Amino acid sequence: MEFVGPRFCCVIFALMTGLASGLELAITGPSTIERASGQTVKLECQFTLGRDDLAPLDIEWSLLASDNQKEDKVVILYSGDRAFEDYPVMKGRVHFNSADPKNGDASINLTGLRSTDTGTYQCKVKKAPGVRSRKILLTVMEKPSRPRCYAEGPTEVGKDVMLRCVSAQGTNPLQYIWEKISDSKLLPASAVLDPVGGTVNVRNASAGVSGTYRCRAKNLVGSEECILHLNVTPPPNTAGIIAGAIIGVLLFLIILAVILVCCCRARQKKKYEKEICNEIREDVPPPKSRVSTARSFTSVGSHRSSLGSMTPSNMHEYALKPQYDKIPSSEDFDRPPSRAPMATPIFTAPAPAPAPRVAGPNLSRMGGIAVMIPAQNRDGSIV
């Protein structure tokens, strides 16, 4: 093995020093930045050129992928004395800090930060033969939203009272701070705080726990607060509530019973009035037209019986009698008896001559048989 002398080492060192004296990046600004969403941030990237760097200048900012299997995303590019800012990652929200980056300022400004902008950004400056790069970690945080303060469970004397404070939005870690802003401005001695969960547990609360409390939620980029008015009251009278409930139920049942009794009485009264209207009273005489009609039909019936007993010998007696087989009309019932018109005679022809009487001995000679015919009076009864 040939020994390498000091002269050769000096040559190597000179070459390395020459290369190092070319393109250089100035370490300015923090390498880790935290900002709130909606704010603006400046990512620093300053460089200097060497005399041997004669190639065109290229500046590239990219968002490095968190997964090695994914590609980096270009944010902004400077090449050929021209800036290219229309990349979809931050289109319209990123631009170079200097109007002419080739003067040594490759810094960029990001506006309207979002939580999705969190990541590692790399500034790469190329001017052959030199190439330099720098990485900056940006964390975009959301400030806490306005929290909601409330008391959980019953707020009664002698019981545990839980105070809660919850912020719906905000980048962790969130911290909750409770304080009393009324009276002594000191939390109760029995209070147990949880700054991460945002709770205050007051054990065996008393009336002195009542007051106004304030909860403040904060993280690295901001804070918000809410106010709670707590009123610890004595426990309710359970016996009085039960007695009141029983009295109320009894009153309801009494009112319901009264309503049912009134309905039953009204129904019975209506039924009784209906029966009274349909009842026939015995002390009231029947209608006059019915009596006269019945009597007239009785008289007609008796006269018909008399007509049934007529013979040729007594037919002349009924020839001039009024007609009784005609049923009277309603007008005849209304007229007084003295003014009733006479009925039309039954026979209009002249009465026949009486038949000759034949003696009993002559009747036997003639071969006749004597028959006794019962006589009837005008009322139709047999004599």
Side-chain angles (χ1 to χ4, degrees):
M1 181 176 180
E2 184 179 358
F3 178 75
V4 178
R7 187 175 179 182
F8 180 78
C9 292
C10 292
V11 172
I12 299 296
F13 179 77
L15 291 174
M16 293 179 63
T17 305
L19 292 175
S21 63
L23 176 63
E24 292 292 340
L25 293 180
I27 307 301
T28 58
S31 60
T32 302
I33 302 176
E34 295 176 348
R35 291 290 186 274
S37 59
Q39 292 182 349
T40 300
V41 65
K42 179 182 178 181
L43 303 183
E44 297 281 350
C45 185
Q46 306 288 337
F47 65 93
T48 57
L49 298 175
R51 292 175 295 177
D52 297 333
D53 298 327
L54 303 177
L57 176 65
D58 291 335
I59 302 173
E60 178 184 285
W61 279 91
S62 59
L63 177 60
L64 302 182
S66 58
D67 190 353
N68 295 330
Q69 297 180 355
K70 296 181 181 180
E71 295 182 357
D72 299 338
K73 298 179 181 179
V74 178
V75 176
I76 192 171
L77 180 65
Y78 180 85
S79 179
D81 296 335
R82 180 182 176 186
F84 298 90
E85 302 177 352
D86 294 335
Y87 290 94
V89 178
M90 291 184 179
K91 185 177 181 179
R93 297 190 297 119
V94 59
H95 58 274
F96 283 101
N97 184 59
S98 174
D100 191 3
K102 66 182 180 180
N103 292 330
D105 186 7
S107 303
I108 60 173
N109 295 320
L110 304 179
T111 61
L113 290 177
R114 304 170 185 174
S115 59
T116 56
D117 296 337
T118 299
T120 301
Y121 292 81
Q122 177 178 260
C123 173
K124 182 184 291 186
V125 180
K126 296 184 295 182
K127 191 173 179 66
V131 177
R132 295 290 183 270
S133 64
R134 181 191 182 190
K135 295 179 181 179
I136 300 175
L137 176 61
L138 173 64
T139 302
V140 180
M141 306 178 65
E142 291 187 2
K143 63 180 296 186
S145 61
R146 183 179 180 85
R148 184 172 68 95
C149 301
Y150 62 96
E152 187 177 68
T155 56
E156 300 174 0
V157 174
K159 295 186 178 181
D160 294 347
V161 177
M162 179 72 72
L163 307 182
R164 286 191 176 276
C165 180
V166 179
S167 180
Q169 297 178 353
T171 303
N172 291 324
L174 289 177
Q175 185 178 9
Y176 298 92
I177 301 174
W178 279 93
E179 57 182 342
K180 190 176 182 180
I181 58 177
S182 64
D183 301 335
S184 61
K185 297 184 179 182
L186 295 175
L187 292 176
S190 60
V192 179
L193 282 75
D194 182 5
V196 178
T199 61
V200 176
N201 187 11
V202 182
R203 298 177 180 177
N204 193 17
S206 62
V209 177
S210 301
T212 304
Y213 293 80
R214 177 174 60 194
C215 173
R216 187 161 58 96
K218 70 174 185 176
N219 60 6
L220 298 177
V221 293
S223 65
E224 287 288 344
E225 63 182 31
C226 61
I227 302 297
L228 172 65
H229 300 282
L230 180 63
N231 184 22
V232 180
T233 59
N237 187 1
T238 308
I241 294 176
I242 295 175
I246 294 175
I247 293 174
V249 172
L250 292 177
L251 289 177
F252 174 76
L253 294 177
I254 292 173
I255 294 174
L256 183 61
V258 170
I259 294 175
L260 293 176
V261 170
C262 293
C263 293
C264 292
R265 287 185 177 181
R267 183 177 296 179
Q268 291 178 357
K269 183 178 179 181
K270 186 176 181 180
K271 183 177 180 182
Y272 177 75
E273 292 177 354
K274 187 176 181 180
E275 291 178 354
I276 290 299
C277 293
N278 296 333
E279 186 179 357
I280 299 176
R281 298 180 59 183
E282 296 179 356
D283 55 347
V284 177
K288 184 177 180 181
S289 60
R290 294 182 181 179
V291 177
S292 60
T293 302
R295 290 179 179 177
S296 301
F297 278 106
T298 303
S299 177
V300 171
S302 62
H303 283 291
R304 287 182 178 177
S305 299
S306 301
L307 290 175
S309 60
M310 286 194 305
T311 59
S313 60
N314 58 7
M315 188 174 293
H316 65 280
E317 298 179 2
Y318 297 95
L320 299 177
K321 290 184 178 181
Q323 182 180 358
Y324 290 98
D325 59 347
K326 182 180 179 182
I327 298 176
S329 62
S330 59
E331 296 179 358
D332 298 335
F333 291 145
D334 296 337
R335 294 197 189 99
S338 59
R339 297 181 182 180
M342 297 298 291
T344 307
I346 297 176
F347 302 101
T348 58
R357 296 184 179 181
V358 181
N362 296 331
L363 184 61
S364 298
R365 293 174 187 172
M366 297 173 61
I369 300 174
V371 178
M372 181 179 291
I373 299 174
Q376 296 179 354
N377 57 12
R378 293 184 178 182
D379 296 333
S381 58
I382 301 175
V383 180

